[in-house]
Amino acid sequence: MPRLRAVLGRLAAYQPTEGVHAAATRTRPLSANESPHGPLPGIVEAITAAASTVNRYPDPGCGQLTRAIAETHGITEDRVVVGAGSVALLQTLLQSVGDPGTEVVYAWRSFELYPILADLAGLRSVRVPLVRDAHDLPAMADRITDATRLVLICNPNNPTGTMVAREELLKFLARTPPTCLVALDEAYYEYAREPTASSGMELVEAHPNLVVLRTFSKAYGLAGLRAGYLVGDPRVVEQLRKACLVYAVNGVAQQAAVAALGLEDQLLRRVDATVRERGRVRDTLVARGWDVPAGHANFLWLRLGDASAEFGRWCTGKDIAVRTFPGEGVRVSIGCAEDNDAFLAASAEWRRREQQGP
Ligand SMILES: *Cc1c(COP(=O)(O)O)cnc(C)c1O
């Protein structure tokens, strides 16, 4: 065996939920927080048109897409970096912030890729427990030291769906030294309806150490094409652009994302429908006695503790893919109404069985 970095021996391989990617399966895909809607005709057209030029390299600077994003948010282009999914930008960010041994602070439980990307970048992870499923920003601020280079805040949080309030975020930013970056991962921001919360987009101008990550994978329905972006201070953006792998964002993805921004109104109406479904599913579960925090993304978090693994297997047995965190909970995506109904039926049956006992 040739020698590789020791960190790889310690990492567990990313485990996608079983069975979901087999095309022929009947499995209801409620494990990956994808949009249940297929691409709009205008997006398929953009993809088809872009397909005829794949013998050429894509625009390495993602010029057209960068302009479209800047226009959408009313910011200058020098504040935007495009990446092959926001996960690729998270990787760039973690590789860029600190030399080995420096620290990244994030809440736990949060997005499962944070520890993996931190380990790969050689950063030390400082995990701050959630309190009632939500970020404890004062405790996170307490953990910032001279060694801290980055604080990651997933807002809404994956997998619990909670949000940080604007006031708390501002207090946190005021306590963070200007030399330490703060990244708000807003992969699900379009689904948020919490009046006390606010997007980092409104705060980047006043806070040069703040960056915001957004993605085309969820609300914009382009998970399969891989496109996301980061917004921040132009001086930070200039450096991060150098750290991105050149040509990483393919031309088909760039054109589809431009088309998606052009069709934003229609796509956001689909998001409204998902938000209504989220309310319906949660209300039903709560009425049946489940403990489900109000979710602000396109999924719900079932705090099942020790019963999580068994409930996850129960759903798999009913051909419903969910995301199980053994010992903690189960995350179920909001899908199409039919899939959500199937999940509600399966969960009701599980509960009846539990109450009857063995
Ligand atoms: C889904 C998700 C992303 C988006 O990843 P892409 O690489 O853009 O598909 C980013 N952050 C979190 C927390 C997510 O759940």
Side-chain angles (χ1 to χ4, degrees), residues 163-356:
M163 292 201 82
V164 300
R166 180 187 168 84
E167 290 310 311
E168 270 179 71
L169 183 59
L170 288 172
K171 272 187 216 154
F172 174 82
L173 288 168
R175 280 188 64 187
T176 307
T179 48
C180 174
L181 265 176
V182 176
L184 285 173
D185 183 346
E186 297 188 342
Y188 301 98
Y189 198 81
E190 293 85 355
Y191 299 94
R193 298 292 181 271
E194 175 64 40
T196 62
S198 71
S199 168
M201 290 289 179
E202 300 160 24
L203 307 174
V204 282
E205 239 163 281
H207 299 85
N209 63 332
L210 179 66
V211 296
V212 179
L213 292 139
R214 292 279 182 102
T215 179
F216 289 98
S217 296
K218 309 285 161 54
Y220 292 84
L222 299 180
L225 282 177
R226 320 301 305 122
Y229 57 98
L230 176 148
V231 169
D233 185 86
R235 291 162 299 179
V236 174
V237 162
E238 185 186 5
Q239 303 300 324
L240 292 178
R241 282 180 178 170
K242 294 186 215 166
C244 288
L245 190 64
V246 71
Y247 299 128
V249 187
N250 71 74
V252 179
Q254 291 184 38
Q255 288 307 312
V258 169
L261 287 174
L263 296 165
E264 196 171 36
D265 291 350
Q266 275 181 76
L267 291 168
L268 294 182
R269 255 178 272 140
R270 289 174 157 190
V271 168
D272 285 337
T274 297
V275 168
R276 282 194 296 276
E277 272 297 284
R278 176 180 77 198
R280 180 179 76 90
V281 174
R282 176 167 184 261
D283 290 349
T284 308
L285 290 170
V286 169
R288 292 175 183 166
W290 292 73
D291 176 21
V292 188
H296 298 287
N298 63 345
F299 52 79
L300 291 170
W301 175 241
L302 310 179
R303 298 185 190 108
L304 286 165
D306 292 339
S308 302
E310 204 192 324
F311 180 71
R313 280 193 296 274
W314 173 262
C315 291
T316 306
K318 300 283 178 191
D319 272 334
I320 301 168
V322 294
R323 190 84 191 176
T324 305
F325 300 88
E328 295 174 69
V330 169
R331 188 193 71 199
V332 57
S333 307
I334 302 301
C336 65
E338 189 194 320
D339 290 352
N340 300 335
D341 283 339
F343 173 76
L344 286 172
S347 58
E349 200 182 329
W350 154 272
R351 204 169 167 87
R352 275 196 298 279
R353 212 193 48 140
E354 285 288 283
Q355 282 165 352
Q356 279 160 9

Side-chain angles (χ1 to χ4, degrees), residues 59 61-72 77 80 82-83 216 227-229 249-250 253-259 261:
D59 172 2
C62 302
Q64 203 188 345
L65 179 53
T66 302
R67 274 191 295 283
I69 292 164
E71 214 165 280
T72 300
E77 286 166 46
V80 180
V82 177
F216 289 98
Y229 57 98
V249 187
N250 71 74
Q254 291 184 38
Q255 288 307 312
V258 169
L261 287 174

